[in-house]
Amino acid sequence: MNTQNTPVHVHLWHHDFWRMAIANLLLTMSVYMLIPVLPVWLSGTVGLSSCQTGMAMGAFGLGLFLFGAMTSYLVQRHRRNQVCVWAIIGMLACLAFLYYIDHYHHECSFSMMLVQRTAFGAFFGLAQMVLASTLIIDTSESFQRTEANHSASWFARFAMSLGPLAALLIYPQYGMSAVLWASGGCALAACVLILLVHFPFRAPEDNVTPFSLDRFFLPQGAVLFVNLLMITLAAGMVLSLPLPVQFYSMMMVGFLLAILAQRFVFREADLKSEVVSGQVLILAALLMLITRDQPVVGYIAPLFVGLGLGLIGSRFLLFFIKLSRHCQRGTSQSSYTLGWESGIAIGIGVGYSLCDRDNILVLEYALALLVLSMFLYQYTHKWFLKHKNR
């Protein structure tokens, strides 16, 4: 691969950047900690059906888009870090609601859970868009911003394994309340890190409208967005299964291997090789989970999933950046974040809703979706080469 297609590897030792990157990890962990345990709690303590549980989990993905059109207006009318902090406080309020239901054994209806999950997604979406599209970029020099985006995204990616892993270790011993405390603690720590960095107030641009696509969605990246959404939908359906600690541990190993592979294996490879390789790896993992029942599958399949998602996520992020025009970097970051997070969340919701938790059927649907995404990518890649701006 030509070196212009990969981020320049420079040392980002500026402490403000690392604070924002760790805040990104903690903020994402606070969300992913709920993935393996919240559905169990919803069906057991709250008494929701599988379909209702799936709808509640999927509502988070739809909520991600609620404040998106207001992001640019909010960060220009108010201090950027304060917008992010208030969004995190909104997340903490949603977690406090769940804690109240669990700790005081208060009755909770399905409609209340839909509102809670939608609001949780909306606040997380706003916090994540401000963090990724504005704060992380502002803590980096202009020549380092692609590398900063690339590095910070890996922190969020590792949260996909670290969050569920922590929750599965806490939940059997201490219950749902302890998981909620841990999730809230991660969000609060992210809030503190953001407050430690000084962001000077910038005068808003002229004629700022309350609603716009700026810092929200990149229209010229719609094809890329759909392709990414299909892949993460399949991944989310896998994460809806009752997975053990071992799965998330090996998934984290896969993420580590993806970093090494990008550095040494795909450094001079063809531009499309990372996405294609990632899709093939996840496809192999799904086939193993469907057709094999040997213990070794429990190690190899999640490793392939982590390796595949790591390769795909990094490459799609750079594709979004290269599609953006001048001053659209933040918008490209938000588009990538929305495609990734909404796909995972909606995929989890669909997985829980399918035929009252038929695990093999869930995997088969995920497999079909992934195969479709592989065919679509053949067109997407040609389209990207034609429309990229960098």
Side-chain angles (χ1 to χ4, degrees):
M1 187 190 304
N2 193 305
T3 53
Q4 68 179 355
N5 294 322
T6 55
V8 179
H9 289 276
V10 293
H11 292 292
L12 298 169
W13 294 117
H14 195 280
H15 60 276
D16 286 345
F17 166 78
W18 288 114
R19 285 173 180 167
M20 293 300 96
I22 295 172
N24 197 25
L25 168 71
L26 293 169
L27 183 64
T28 313
M29 272 188 69
S30 71
V31 170
Y32 278 90
M33 286 181 73
L34 301 180
I35 286 178
V37 298
L38 182 61
V40 178
W41 181 80
L42 289 175
S43 59
T45 303
V46 180
L48 301 185
S49 66
S50 295
C51 185
Q52 289 175 327
T53 298
M55 292 176 66
M57 296 300 292
F60 175 90
L62 299 178
L64 291 168
F65 295 84
L66 283 185
F67 292 136
M70 299 176 62
T71 303
S72 180
Y73 176 81
L74 290 172
V75 299
Q76 293 200 55
R77 289 296 180 185
H78 308 279
R79 289 187 179 273
R80 293 154 285 167
N81 58 336
Q82 290 182 2
V83 174
C84 191
V85 165
W86 279 108
I88 296 174
I89 291 173
M91 291 175 59
L92 290 170
C94 293
L95 291 172
F97 172 78
L98 293 181
Y99 180 81
Y100 175 78
I101 298 298
D102 181 70
H103 191 72
Y104 294 101
H105 307 288
H106 193 277
E107 292 186 3
C108 180
S109 65
F110 171 57
S111 58
M112 292 170 66
M113 280 309 308
L114 279 180
V115 172
Q116 190 277 340
R117 290 293 294 168
T118 303
F120 192 54
F123 287 123
F124 173 70
L126 177 59
Q128 188 69 7
M129 280 187 279
V130 175
L131 185 59
S133 70
T134 303
L135 301 186
I136 289 174
I137 291 175
D138 286 351
T139 57
S140 308
E141 299 293 338
S142 59
F143 68 92
Q144 292 181 323
R145 285 176 178 172
T146 296
E147 176 66 10
N149 294 141
H150 181 264
S151 301
S153 70
W154 268 110
F155 280 78
R157 215 165 285 133
F158 272 105
M160 288 183 65
S161 55
L162 286 171
L165 186 61
L168 289 174
L169 293 174
I170 295 171
Y171 185 74
Q173 297 293 325
Y174 305 104
M176 187 63 184
S177 292
V179 174
L180 293 172
W181 272 107
S183 176
C186 287
L188 188 60
C191 195
V192 171
L193 287 171
I194 292 168
L195 289 173
L196 289 175
V197 179
H198 174 67
F199 293 93
F201 179 76
R202 290 181 179 176
E205 299 175 1
D206 295 333
N207 302 320
V208 178
T209 59
F211 302 97
S212 72
L213 293 180
D214 186 31
R215 303 176 195 265
F216 171 39
F217 189 78
L218 193 69
Q220 61 264 37
V223 174
L224 207 59
F225 178 87
V226 171
N227 208 162
L228 177 62
L229 187 68
M230 291 176 67
I231 296 170
T232 52
L233 273 168
M237 291 170 72
V238 174
L239 296 183
S240 72
L241 302 176
L243 303 171
V245 170
Q246 173 186 304
F247 186 96
Y248 292 104
S249 300
M250 293 306 299
M251 189 175 168
M252 184 160 37
V253 174
F255 285 146
L256 290 170
L257 290 178
I259 295 176
L260 296 175
Q262 286 182 319
R263 181 80 174 178
F264 300 108
V265 179
F266 294 99
R267 189 177 184 87
E268 301 296 332
D270 183 75
L271 185 60
K272 67 190 297 186
S273 60
E274 285 179 83
V275 175
V276 172
S277 299
Q279 290 174 316
V280 170
L281 285 165
I282 299 174
L283 183 69
L286 292 174
L287 288 172
M288 283 190 287
L289 290 170
I290 291 171
T291 61
R292 298 288 183 267
D293 196 24
Q294 287 87 355
V296 69
V297 171
Y299 292 93
I300 299 177
L303 186 145
F304 280 6
V305 170
L307 178 54
L309 285 176
L311 294 174
I312 291 169
S314 295
R315 180 49 57 187
F316 265 86
L317 173 64
L318 292 174
F319 282 171
F320 271 104
I321 292 174
K322 290 180 181 297
L323 279 176
S324 62
R325 299 188 182 94
H326 181 63
C327 295
Q328 286 187 317
R329 177 184 290 273
T331 310
S332 69
Q333 294 296 298
S334 294
S335 298
Y336 168 80
T337 298
L338 288 172
W340 185 275
E341 297 294 348
S342 64
I344 294 291
I346 296 172
I348 290 171
V350 171
Y352 273 101
S353 301
L354 277 177
C355 296
D356 201 28
R357 308 296 294 125
D358 185 335
N359 294 345
I360 297 299
L361 186 63
V362 171
L363 290 171
E364 289 174 346
Y365 273 94
L367 181 66
L369 197 57
L370 186 64
V371 171
L372 286 175
S373 77
M374 295 176 73
F375 283 110
L376 177 60
Y377 182 67
Q378 303 308 309
Y379 164 76
T380 301
H381 189 79
K382 295 177 182 177
W383 175 89
F384 164 75
L385 293 176
K386 184 179 179 180
H387 292 86
K388 67 177 182 176
N389 290 289
R390 303 183 186 212

